[in-house]
Amino acid sequence: MSSARHRFEGPSDLHLHSVFSDGTESPAEAMLAVHRAGVRTAALTDHDTTAGWAEGAEAATSLGMTFLPGMELSATDRWRSVHVLAYLFDPDDRALRAETERIRSARLGRAERIVAAIGRDYDLSWDDVVAETGDGATVGRPHIADALVTRGLARDRGEAFSGILAPTSGYYVPHYAPDVRDAVRLIVAAGGVPVIAHPTPAGRDRMMPMPLLRELIALGLGGFELGHRENTPEGIATLRAVAAEHDLIVTGSSDYHGRGKPNMPGEHTTSDEMVARIIARGTGSAPVYP
């Protein structure tokens, strides 16, 4: 662990998105943004894809930063959407690749059905949405939101999601994602380190029940992203105690999306000790050092 600590430099922001999922900047632009904010180790964690790794790694190292390969894997717990950050896994692992391909395919079909439904009532077409999507990215609800903004049907993504794209609007279509237990199993089997992203939000997607969290820990869950603007103070306190009890990794990150969210680069960071633990534990891929 000590050698890993000497080969990277903090501060570390381990949750960033690019145009390969629902961010608004290229991987290189995202790396430049966090570098300008003082970050010196960064992880690109696009949803269900590793397509931005090569560009992100090249950009990060050219800036003197360490790059941690990552991904945010979509998962579910009954009605609850759960996101699992995966670090240092093997991108060629057959089972994990098959699952991410299934998720992306389902997301595309879902987006097409949502746009068709909206288009019956509003001036919105599939071409409008594709125009908002970066090359190689899978079309999803954030891109539909961007198209609604461009067409003048919403002021920003937030209004789009609380209005036309809200679950109660009549245009909502459920999406496929694996059970969170399977998500953790897949990441661990691929040599990765699974960390539950923003695990204590308010509202409908509030914290998973404690028996399930303990089950996930037994399956190899690495830790929790407790430094995140969406977490509740009460939830953070609860999970910090669980992390201490089980000696889990605790991370903090911005969840930066460029213009797609108000989150700012480096607004939360992960301690050097915890980054070193992730590096020591991950066996599927390696950090890219400057």
Side-chain angles (χ1 to χ4, degrees):
M1 187 180 297
S2 60
S3 62
R5 181 176 290 122
H6 291 301
R7 293 194 65 188
F8 73 90
E9 179 184 354
S12 301
D13 190 340
L14 305 185
H15 189 168
L16 309 170
H17 293 275
S18 78
V19 292
F20 284 104
S21 63
D22 55 346
T24 62
E25 299 174 344
S26 69
E29 290 168 334
M31 291 301 134
L32 180 59
V34 295
H35 182 268
R36 286 172 172 165
V39 171
R40 293 300 176 262
T41 294
L44 186 67
T45 54
D46 280 320
H47 293 282
D48 309 307
T49 183
T50 63
W53 280 13
E55 180 184 340
E58 181 178 0
T61 55
S62 72
L63 293 166
M65 293 169 38
T66 297
F67 179 82
L68 257 63
M71 180 174 69
E72 189 169 8
L73 184 62
S74 301
T76 58
D77 165 37
R78 298 171 296 165
W79 44 262
R80 182 186 289 107
S81 176
V82 181
H83 291 172
V84 186
L85 293 162
Y87 300 108
L88 301 176
F89 61 91
D90 179 2
D92 295 319
D93 180 84
R94 182 175 298 178
L96 184 54
R97 285 194 67 170
E99 191 62 25
T100 56
E101 288 170 4
R102 180 181 179 186
I103 294 168
R104 292 197 304 272
S105 176
R107 183 180 292 122
L108 178 61
R110 175 203 195 196
E112 290 174 333
R113 293 192 296 275
I114 291 173
V115 172
I118 294 173
R120 288 192 286 268
D121 297 325
Y122 296 93
D123 185 15
L124 184 75
S125 71
W126 182 247
D127 287 342
D128 293 330
V129 177
V130 172
E132 303 291 338
T133 308
D135 291 341
T138 300
V139 180
R141 290 205 309 150
H143 305 111
I144 301 173
D146 291 341
L148 291 170
V149 173
T150 299
R151 298 295 292 172
L153 299 171
R155 285 177 297 182
D156 52 34
R157 273 190 183 182
E159 185 176 275
F161 276 110
S162 64
I164 293 175
L165 291 174
T168 56
S169 68
Y171 304 113
Y172 184 80
V173 175
H175 68 288
Y176 167 77
D179 182 88
V180 65
R181 299 169 185 82
D182 293 328
V184 169
R185 289 189 189 101
L186 284 166
I187 294 166
V188 171
V193 184
V195 173
I196 300 295
H198 35 76
T200 72
R204 185 172 184 270
D205 289 335
R206 61 190 179 277
M207 189 172 73
M208 288 179 285
M210 196 60 65
L212 175 58
L213 290 175
R214 296 192 184 280
E215 186 178 350
L216 295 177
I217 292 168
L219 290 172
L221 179 67
F224 303 115
E225 182 188 51
L226 297 188
H228 190 287
R229 63 163 60 198
E230 293 179 12
N231 289 329
T232 64
E234 299 80 10
I236 291 172
T238 298
L239 291 187
R240 197 173 294 282
V242 173
E245 177 187 353
H246 295 275
D247 192 26
L248 300 180
I249 294 165
V250 172
T251 68
S253 304
S254 66
D255 198 2
Y256 178 63
H257 283 67
R259 298 182 307 279
K261 282 187 175 182
N263 308 43
M264 298 302 295
E267 67 178 36
H268 292 283
T269 57
T270 301
S271 71
D272 288 359
E273 176 191 357
M274 295 299 173
V275 175
R277 288 182 61 179
I278 291 172
I279 292 172
R281 180 166 170 172
T283 60
S285 60
V288 184
Y289 297 102

